[in-house]
Amino acid sequence: YLTNAVLVLNIEQGLLGDELRDGGTKAETSTFPRPRRFAFRVTFLALQTAVGLILISGSGDVILGLQSLSGAVGMTALTYFLPFVMYWLVFPEEMDARKKFWFALNVALGVVIMIGGILSSAADLLENAGGVFGGYCHLTYRYSPSSPDDP
């Protein structure tokens, strides 16, 4: 599980180190954060707040557009072409000319589908974005079942 606290503490330990793990004693490390840890945590929280404000500054479809963009990149790659690429890299000795053609065709089609999804999602995001801190979220969802415009 990755809650916000676990996420920030793991990043903090990775970037700033961990005194207890590095040989410090409990008495040497205060329960109060040092100034650099405090600055890191405040910066992390400020960045999360800024991202949240950016997300709600446009229409309600911005989050839907971000989901479709992540699906266009991640799920398309994991479903359509990365399995073929990984198999080809792990078992190159099993690849004859027919199999190489079939795998290359699947990879090419997957990349075309991914590019189409990225372009479609990016166009949707640009259409719905209100700019950075460009106003309030008006929540006029395009795909909402409670919307009178939705069939």
Side-chain angles (χ1 to χ4, degrees):
Y1 70 97
L2 284 177
T3 63
N4 221 9
V6 172
L7 178 66
V8 74
L9 290 176
N10 282 329
I11 293 172
E12 181 181 291
Q13 285 180 353
L15 292 176
L16 303 177
D18 185 5
E19 292 87 0
L20 290 176
R21 186 185 62 212
D22 297 336
T25 65
K26 187 75 170 168
E28 293 172 350
T29 60
S30 169
T31 56
F32 296 103
R34 292 180 168 172
R36 66 187 177 124
R37 290 191 185 277
F38 179 75
F40 176 80
R41 292 172 186 174
V42 168
T43 304
F44 194 84
L45 183 61
L47 285 173
Q48 287 186 325
T49 305
V51 168
L53 288 172
I54 290 169
L55 286 176
I56 65 169
S57 67
S59 72
D61 285 333
V62 171
I63 294 175
L64 184 64
L66 288 173
Q67 283 180 316
S68 66
L69 183 63
S70 67
V73 175
M75 289 308 296
T76 305
L78 290 172
T79 304
Y80 287 104
F81 63 89
L82 276 182
F84 292 102
V85 171
M86 294 298 127
Y87 186 90
W88 196 330
L89 291 174
V90 173
F91 303 110
E93 67 278 353
E94 295 182 15
M95 301 297 292
D96 58 356
R98 246 178 96 207
K99 210 178 242 188
K100 285 181 182 179
F101 173 76
W102 178 247
F103 278 37
L105 180 66
N106 279 292
V107 169
L109 288 174
V111 169
V112 168
I113 290 170
M114 184 174 75
I115 290 171
I118 290 171
L119 293 176
S120 171
S121 299
D124 194 36
L125 276 172
L126 289 175
E127 176 187 330
N128 293 314
V132 178
F133 311 121
Y136 297 103
C137 180
H138 298 291
L139 294 180
T140 54
Y141 290 102
R142 184 178 308 157
Y143 306 108
S144 175
S146 61
S147 171
D149 298 330
D150 197 22

